[in-house]
Amino acid sequence: MQKDKLLTTIVDDHPIVIEGLKMLLQHEANIQVVGGFCSGAEILSYLRNNKVDLILLDITLPDINGMDLCQLIKSEWVSTTILILSNHTERSIILQSIQNGASGYLLKNSSIQELRQCIAEAIQGNIVYSRAVMEIISRPSKNQLQERPQLTRREKQVLALVAEGKTSQTIGQELFLSPLTIDTHRKNLIQKFNVKNMAELIMAASQQNLL
């Protein structure tokens, strides 16, 4: 085994995809596929006893989603490069994957040339995307396109303090309100911005220059 080969594993819930990728990559001079796994538990177990340089990881797995698995792997095996290879085209999933430590995101319809190039750049420490993914993340998000929500003076105050990372307890003390009232304002803000959580709320508010 040549030392300069990237020890690579493929994690996908479809065995046929794993076999297909193995065939595609078997002629790559710098890559050696050392395993294919269909679940998060399998790859985590393998990593505990084996060195892996590169993981090609799907988002949809039977026991854990790829975004969370990526974060788990990177927390323990920092030097392992992870590229997401998925059919999911949601902008939020792409960005969350990168935030969780992935070095890139490619769609499964990518060409072998594109995959080869992305692997080479990711190994150098770059964040990489396939062409189709670049198009997705360059489009304005839903939050950028929608009209600015109308906020009350109090909601603006709460939003600014939430963005500073303060808890409902702390915000309540600063504004002389109960934590329950602050929680109500938080829920109203999430509803007005049509987002799922505080992280998305802060991102949406920033995009609309409300912070």
Side-chain angles (χ1 to χ4, degrees), residues 92 141-151 155 159 185-205 207-208 210:
S92 59
S141 70
K142 178 183 67 178
N143 293 322
Q144 289 171 313
L145 291 172
Q146 70 185 27
E147 290 183 13
R148 280 192 190 188
Q150 295 301 308
L151 304 182
E155 284 171 343
L159 177 61
H185 283 307
R186 283 177 181 259
K187 286 173 187 170
N188 289 341
L189 285 164
I190 281 176
Q191 193 170 17
K192 283 190 175 184
F193 279 90
N194 192 26
V195 292
K196 297 188 186 74
N197 52 46
M198 286 294 117
E200 287 188 13
L201 171 64
I202 293 166
M203 187 184 297
Q207 287 172 344
Q208 295 180 33
L210 290 171

Side-chain angles (χ1 to χ4, degrees), residues 7-9 34 43 46-47 50-55 79-81:
L7 301 178
T8 303
T9 63
V34 292
I43 181 62
Y46 183 83
L47 284 167
N50 300 275
K51 183 180 186 297
V52 173
D53 300 309
L54 173 69
I55 300 174
S79 63
T80 299
T81 299

Side-chain angles (χ1 to χ4, degrees), residues 17 33 39 62 71 105 125:
V17 172
V33 178
S39 71
Q71 192 170 37
Y105 198 108

